[in-house]
Amino acid sequence: MGFGDKWRGWMEKLVFNSHMLILVNGSPTDDFEVGKGLRQGDPLSSFLFVLVSEGLTELVRKSIEIGDFDCFSINRNCPIDILQFEDDTLLVRKGNWNHVWAIKAVLKAFELVSGLGINHHKSKLIGINLNVSFLEAA
């Protein structure tokens, strides 16, 4: 994405080489090394999530480019492929098996590249004007 070596080095140190201590009954523990990840409430987590989710957007666009997806459009003027707000993502596709398999491939690729797993218990497949048996099978 064009970030310099210095900036990438800072982010790597923040995510992979952190140290912390815990307060137990108001007293700090000894300092210990944290293996990886940002802490809950870290102001950088939203920013870094947006950067990582940009990778998902690029995977979707590449999938459209190579013909795995047909972009959904409104009035043929407004193409919609992916909508994201904070940590919610909406992939808009036509209801057919090619798109179901392409979505699975894109999500799996994103999972492998980013290390972020898809929570299938919180994910939903919603169909408009689709056969219920198709949705259940998909």
Side-chain angles (χ1 to χ4, degrees):
M1 295 182 75
F3 293 106
D5 291 337
K6 187 174 186 178
W7 188 89
R8 288 193 323 266
W10 290 338
M11 293 304 109
E12 186 176 339
K13 282 183 174 44
L14 284 170
V15 175
F16 296 108
N17 299 318
S18 299
H19 289 82
M20 69 170 26
L21 53 87
I22 299 173
L23 292 177
V24 178
N25 296 328
S27 300
T29 64
D30 290 335
D31 195 43
F32 61 92
E33 188 173 331
V34 179
K36 64 178 180 176
L38 296 172
R39 270 38 75 213
Q40 185 175 3
D42 192 313
L44 277 177
S45 28
S46 295
F47 175 66
L48 290 177
F49 182 82
V50 168
L51 289 177
V52 170
S53 67
E54 190 63 28
L56 178 60
T57 301
E58 284 305 309
L59 286 169
V60 168
R61 298 232 165 95
K62 188 67 171 174
S63 189
I64 290 168
E65 185 181 306
I66 64 174
D68 286 347
F69 282 138
D70 295 327
C71 198
F72 182 83
S73 62
I74 300 170
N75 296 331
R76 297 184 182 156
N77 298 346
C78 182
I80 299 173
D81 46 38
I82 186 170
L83 301 170
Q84 294 179 302
F85 179 73
E86 292 184 356
D87 62 348
D88 294 323
T89 300
L90 179 66
L91 295 170
V92 182
R93 297 291 173 260
K94 294 179 182 173
N96 63 47
W97 284 110
N98 289 341
H99 287 168
V100 170
W101 289 112
I103 287 171
K104 285 183 73 161
V106 164
L107 292 177
K108 188 61 177 176
F110 177 71
E111 196 171 328
L112 291 170
V113 170
S114 70
L116 298 174
I118 306 300
N119 186 335
H120 296 285
H121 297 291
K122 291 184 177 180
S123 302
K124 292 185 181 188
L125 181 63
I126 300 170
I128 299 172
N129 294 328
L130 289 176
N131 187 322
V132 174
S133 61
F134 171 79
L135 285 173
E136 288 173 356

